[in-house]
Amino acid sequence: TTTFDQFFVNDIKVEGTHKVTNISGNPVPPSIIARKFKVEVINGKLTKPNGDYIKWNSIKTITQVEGLITPDFPRDDVFKIEGSASGKVKRGNLLVRWESTITEPLIRRFTCRWIVRGKIRTVRANLPNNSRWVAVLDFGNGICDNLATITINGVTRQITLP
């Protein structure tokens, strides 16, 4: 568990608690331990000097799905990430609430810098039901590359991940 107290990165104040819990179950088969972690951000907040901020809470489960029988060889490790988050962003006089859910598990290979598969759906939560704002970030079909697509209110664009 990490709690930030008067911690800054490039003039941005970092607050909240980051908690990682090992929730690995019983070994299956008995000689193999399936690695599984719960990762929580509790009252996370990043504040700029002008007062603009983002606040959020999130909970994710990270499960190792490949590479379990080779613990000394991490290059074949593959992890599945599931979970959700919610929060709000203040920018000037605008305050926006949002909710985000991993709708298809994110797949992360040890040998790839980027997530190779999965989808995240984000909605703007403080709009009336008849004026939806929905975005879906799609990381692709399993190929290791820095390309993804973002679909906002039905319009899809390819993007390049940093």
Side-chain angles (χ1 to χ4, degrees):
T1 300
T2 305
T3 302
F4 300 94
D5 183 23
Q6 294 302 312
F7 184 76
F8 290 81
V9 175
N10 298 332
D11 295 329
I12 296 176
K13 186 175 184 180
V14 179
E15 299 174 88
T17 301
H18 184 253
K19 183 177 179 182
V20 179
T21 306
N22 185 344
I23 57 171
S24 301
N26 294 329
V28 179
S31 62
I32 300 172
I33 296 175
R35 294 182 187 107
K36 189 172 189 176
F37 301 92
K38 180 169 79 170
V39 180
E40 298 172 89
V41 174
I42 303 156
N43 298 321
K45 186 176 182 185
L46 302 175
T47 307
K48 291 184 175 183
N50 67 2
D52 290 353
Y53 64 81
I54 180 170
K55 293 170 80 170
W56 77 99
N57 289 287
S58 69
I59 186 164
K60 292 185 288 191
T61 302
I62 301 172
T63 306
Q64 186 174 359
V65 294
E66 291 182 28
L68 291 166
I69 60 174
T70 56
D72 296 329
F73 186 74
R75 294 186 55 78
D76 63 351
D77 291 358
V78 178
F79 294 88
K80 174 176 72 171
I81 305 164
E82 300 171 290
S84 62
S86 64
K88 57 186 170 181
V89 176
K90 179 187 174 293
R91 189 167 156 193
N93 292 329
L94 180 65
L95 184 64
V96 175
R97 285 189 326 101
W98 56 270
E99 297 170 355
S100 184
T101 303
I102 298 172
T103 57
E104 292 182 17
L106 306 180
I107 303 298
R108 178 76 161 81
R109 299 183 187 285
F110 182 85
T111 56
C112 185
R113 176 178 170 181
W114 300 279
I115 294 170
V116 299
R117 179 179 292 154
K119 293 182 181 180
I120 302 173
R121 180 179 187 266
T122 302
V123 298
R124 188 169 167 178
N126 58 334
L127 288 176
N129 288 338
N130 61 350
S131 61
R132 293 178 34 194
W133 184 96
V134 177
V136 176
L137 180 59
D138 184 342
F139 289 95
N141 60 5
I143 296 171
C144 179
D145 61 24
N146 64 342
L147 301 177
T149 59
I150 182 89
T151 303
I152 301 174
N153 294 336
V155 178
T156 301
R157 301 210 189 288
Q158 186 173 36
I159 61 172
T160 302
L161 303 170

